[in-house]
Amino acid sequence: MRVEDPKLKAELSDLGVDIRSGACLAELTSLGIGGTTNLLRITKHESIPELILLLERHQIPYKFLGGGSNLLIGDGELPWLILQLAKPDPEIVIEGNLAHVDAAADLGRTVTFCAKHDLGGMEGLIGVPGTIGGALRMNAGAYGMQIGSYVREAKLYRAAKRSIEILRGTQISFEYRHTSFAPDDMMLAVTLELPSKPFKEILQGIRICNEKRRSSQPLGQKSAGCIFKNPPGASAGRMIDELGLKGLSVGDAKVSDRHANFFVNAGEASAKDMLTLIADVRGRVENAFGVKLEHEVVVWDA
Ligand code: EPU
């Protein structure tokens, strides 16, 4: 999808939107998969309601991209524009036990920045790629914690109301890898309320989580983290492993040898390869265990 109309281009520019033509989404996702389209970088949160109206008036479909770390995007020329927040400076402001964080901020950097200010609680998320906005939307969690527990306030573009709103943490429901936000809501910023902890103690926790992650997950490889959610009381990774599917591949899409719920792009995998592999593994798990695995990875198929 391309923005060609010069008048529309000028209107976008007036809204503080930078247009990158022919952006390759494989370069913007941790899986390294995804076709091309125009990328619109938003520099002012306040311009979003007007930007959305403008795109709708021109009947231009769009999708909102966070850090691209939990995402499988289709191949070829994509039928929608991509919107993404530009990173502001500063991305994080600390005020006592509160961390005000822009949605575009990197999750790992936020964890360490807060740690340096003696604010803990988020240690489990170290090593999880992506942005704070993505972590908030998906209620990212690991090693017994989830980000939702620390959300005091969230600022978002509420698609249903066509306006920017601030919600209290108690107005949002945070479940396992799921939140009450609508699919087309856009996360803009969050205020986290974090427990005070000495930096050294947080660092210790960070080291332990890093070590656990390194020993069980394929960190150096292109992946989107876990492909399937864990069904209640079970582990998708263990089930796939028990079926001997580690190393199973379609083209360059491969079930990781290290963690069976991570599917890696071992080279030039296409979305088609990855989707075929996902469907194959899902079918085998259903046949063997009678369990229909649900996607944890978000799929934007063209
Ligand atoms: N296991 C196997 N073989 C495998 C993988 C795992 O036997 O190939 C076994 C492990 O030995 C362990 C059990 O399955 O006994 C659970 O494995 P693990 O501790 O790695 O946790 P997980 O349930 O597979 C979840 C999250 C991860 C998160 C880790 C650590 C989901 C789908 N996955 O993985 O999150 O990092 O716990 O807290 O909830 C993600 O969301 O993308 C993600 C990677």
Side-chain angles (χ1 to χ4, degrees), residues 12-59:
L12 288 170
S13 171
D14 288 347
L15 289 174
V17 172
D18 294 328
I19 307 177
R20 237 179 80 193
S21 204
C24 174
L25 292 187
E27 290 165 13
L28 299 177
T29 58
S30 58
L31 249 184
I33 294 178
T36 49
T37 185
N38 277 10
L39 174 70
L40 271 48
R41 304 292 297 277
I42 300 165
T43 58
K44 291 186 276 187
H45 290 172
E46 319 80 68
S47 68
I48 293 176
E50 221 178 310
L51 166 63
I52 300 299
L53 272 178
L54 187 61
L55 295 177
E56 287 179 355
R57 223 173 37 239
H58 286 263
Q59 297 183 315

Side-chain angles (χ1 to χ4, degrees), residues 70 141-144 176-177 213 216-217 224-226 228-230 235 237-238 241 246 258-262 296:
N70 191 40
Y143 306 116
Y176 166 62
R177 302 292 192 273
R213 207 179 284 286
S216 63
Q217 299 181 0
C226 284
F228 300 109
K229 290 183 186 177
N230 283 337
S235 159
R238 185 182 292 149
D241 194 0
K246 278 182 171 169
R258 181 162 282 221
H259 193 299
N261 198 10
F262 278 65
E296 203 265 339

Side-chain angles (χ1 to χ4, degrees), residues 58-94:
H58 286 263
Q59 297 183 315
I60 296 177
Y62 57 85
K63 290 197 180 283
F64 187 58
L65 177 70
S69 62
N70 191 40
L71 197 56
L72 170 52
I73 302 183
D75 304 311
E77 178 68 21
L78 301 165
W80 5 264
L81 295 183
I82 295 291
L83 311 184
Q84 193 179 40
L85 297 178
K87 285 186 199 303
D89 187 18
E91 298 169 314
I92 312 170
V93 174
I94 304 288

Side-chain angles (χ1 to χ4, degrees), residues 102-118:
D102 191 89
D106 178 76
L107 178 57
R109 280 192 42 210
T110 304
V111 176
T112 48
F113 187 91
C114 292
K116 284 180 192 152
H117 288 80
D118 299 315

